[in-house]
Amino acid sequence: MQHGPAVRRRKLGAELRALRADAGLTSGEAARLLGWHQSKVSRIETGTSGVKPTDVMRLLDVYAVDDPELRDLLTVLAGAEDDGRHRWWHAYRGVLPPAYRDFISLESQARGMRTLETSVVPGLLQTPEYARAVTRAAVDGLEDCKLDALVEVRLARQDVLRSCPPLELNAVLDEAVLRREVGGPEVMAHQLRRLCDAAALPQVRLQVLPFTAGAHIGVTGPFVIFSFPNTTDLDVVVLDHLTSSLYLERKEDLQAYSEAFDALQFHALSPEESLDYIAGIADGA
């Protein structure tokens, strides 16, 4: 397990190495074309050192990579300061911890997101009132101005569901998410109705894992699996902890969590049944 930046460097390096091979170049040939020492290319490809966004663009030019989506993705992984389309969160650098910024950068470029939530509604589906209540509870003694900023970030993140193409969100919600009264009855009722609205979106698939399902593989805690366009080598599992986030990148980890998510979907209610279930709880709220 590693923290986000180290994982991103390794994944970026592996992808650049594969693109170089596809271009039919050795690391030495690529270095000569760029006027670099071969060791620089090697360090980039092994992820042992960071790489400037401008250098990534030069490498992609040499490798004749003209796919704009892939170029954009790899640039973001390098930490590029682009035109702001995908890095709006830098305006909140003073209030966002690095792990959260890293998570948002991955989320902004992902093609799909599979998530198990066991305690709270996924951030991409939270109402402003619910987001405020959750954030206030999670961060003790937070100043109002910082609380406002964090809620703004939570709501701004939701734009990925309205982008073109939108992020495909597959979420399994433990019933506890629906039953835990966050922010009071009125806030919770509004949040449940928001979930019903979201479930009708073609890019969103919601399933409820009812209490009657008993113990399940997700009892160990929530997780997120990000999938990216063009390549599966960049897919990553994210585990949130109280003070940090951990990223799993090994193929064995990705396979294990993907299989776990498939099992959770199998034991959960269908999307149609889940919508009725959520609506029933909302009506009784």
Side-chain angles (χ1 to χ4, degrees), residues 6 9-10 13-14 17 39 41-49:
R9 284 198 303 271
R10 286 184 56 183
R17 182 170 60 249
S39 63
V41 175
S42 297
R43 290 195 304 271
I44 290 172
E45 293 184 350
T46 58
T48 55
S49 67

Side-chain angles (χ1 to χ4, degrees), residues 2 5-18 20 27 38-51 59 249:
Q2 298 186 51
V7 171
R8 294 206 302 178
R9 284 198 303 271
R10 286 184 56 183
K11 286 184 172 293
L12 175 60
E15 184 65 15
L16 290 172
R17 182 170 60 249
R20 173 179 57 74
S27 59
Q38 183 177 355
S39 63
K40 178 175 181 176
V41 175
S42 297
R43 290 195 304 271
I44 290 172
E45 293 184 350
T46 58
T48 55
S49 67
V51 54
L59 285 166
E249 60 168 333

Side-chain angles (χ1 to χ4, degrees), residues 20 29 42 60 81-82 105 110 120 148 165 167 177 186 192 201 203 215 223 266 271:
R20 173 179 57 74
E29 289 169 340
S42 297
L60 296 177
E81 297 287 348
D82 61 15
S105 71
V120 297
D148 291 342
L167 175 76
V177 172
E186 186 176 346
L192 292 173
L201 298 173
Q203 67 271 33
F223 60 85
F266 177 79

Side-chain angles (χ1 to χ4, degrees), residues 231-249:
T231 175
T232 60
D233 290 339
L234 297 174
D235 293 357
V236 64
V237 177
V238 184
L239 305 177
D240 261 343
H241 295 272
L242 183 62
T243 58
S244 64
S245 296
L246 293 177
Y247 294 66
L248 307 179
E249 60 168 333

Side-chain angles (χ1 to χ4, degrees), residues 34-69:
L34 290 163
W36 297 349
H37 194 281
Q38 183 177 355
S39 63
K40 178 175 181 176
V41 175
S42 297
R43 290 195 304 271
I44 290 172
E45 293 184 350
T46 58
T48 55
S49 67
V51 54
K52 295 179 180 178
T54 52
D55 285 345
V56 170
M57 298 302 288
R58 292 184 66 191
L59 285 166
L60 296 177
D61 289 341
V62 167
Y63 302 156
V65 177
D66 55 9
D67 184 326
E69 192 173 26

Side-chain angles (χ1 to χ4, degrees), residues 64-93:
V65 177
D66 55 9
D67 184 326
E69 192 173 26
L70 181 56
R71 290 177 68 97
D72 199 26
L73 171 59
L74 297 180
T75 303
V76 168
L77 286 177
E81 297 287 348
D82 61 15
D83 61 5
R85 289 175 301 156
H86 301 302
R87 303 188 69 80
W88 53 266
W89 53 91
H90 279 288
Y92 299 90
R93 183 182 292 272

Side-chain angles (χ1 to χ4, degrees), residues 121-151:
V121 170
L124 295 182
L125 301 178
Q126 292 178 7
T127 65
E129 298 79 12
Y130 186 99
R132 179 173 293 275
V134 166
T135 305
R136 189 183 294 278
V139 187
D140 188 42
L142 195 63
E143 298 175 6
D144 286 344
C145 60
K146 290 187 176 180
L147 175 62
D148 291 342
L150 289 173
V151 172

